[in-house]
Amino acid sequence: MARGELTRLTGSGEDECGQGDCPNVYRTSSGSFVVQGDVSDAFTPPAGEGLVEIPENVLKEAVRALGW
């Protein structure tokens, strides 16, 4: 899936990365979510899965964007 196929819910371009590129939450056309953030090593996830860490304000922004 290409990034252009996702709906970006967060990131006004003025985030801590300085380039408007991370961390972010995206929604897929099927309604699931893709999360972009710093890789976390909090624990080892199952094969085929990964862990990312994103700030609380990014999740709040995503919830607002969805009108929840």
Side-chain angles (χ1 to χ4, degrees):
M1 172 180 317
R3 182 186 284 187
E5 298 175 59
L6 303 171
T7 301
R8 186 173 175 168
L9 300 175
T10 58
S12 63
E14 298 178 13
D15 56 39
E16 53 270 13
C17 293
Q19 297 178 6
D21 199 29
C22 67
N24 279 302
V25 177
Y26 300 86
R27 191 164 198 185
T28 68
S29 59
S30 66
S32 63
F33 298 92
V34 175
V35 179
Q36 176 186 358
D38 293 330
V39 175
S40 173
D41 60 1
F43 64 90
T44 303
E49 296 183 4
L51 303 175
V52 297
E53 185 174 344
I54 62 171
E56 179 180 337
N57 67 306
V58 173
L59 290 178
K60 287 180 177 179
E61 185 180 351
V63 167
R64 282 192 300 272
L66 291 167
W68 294 352

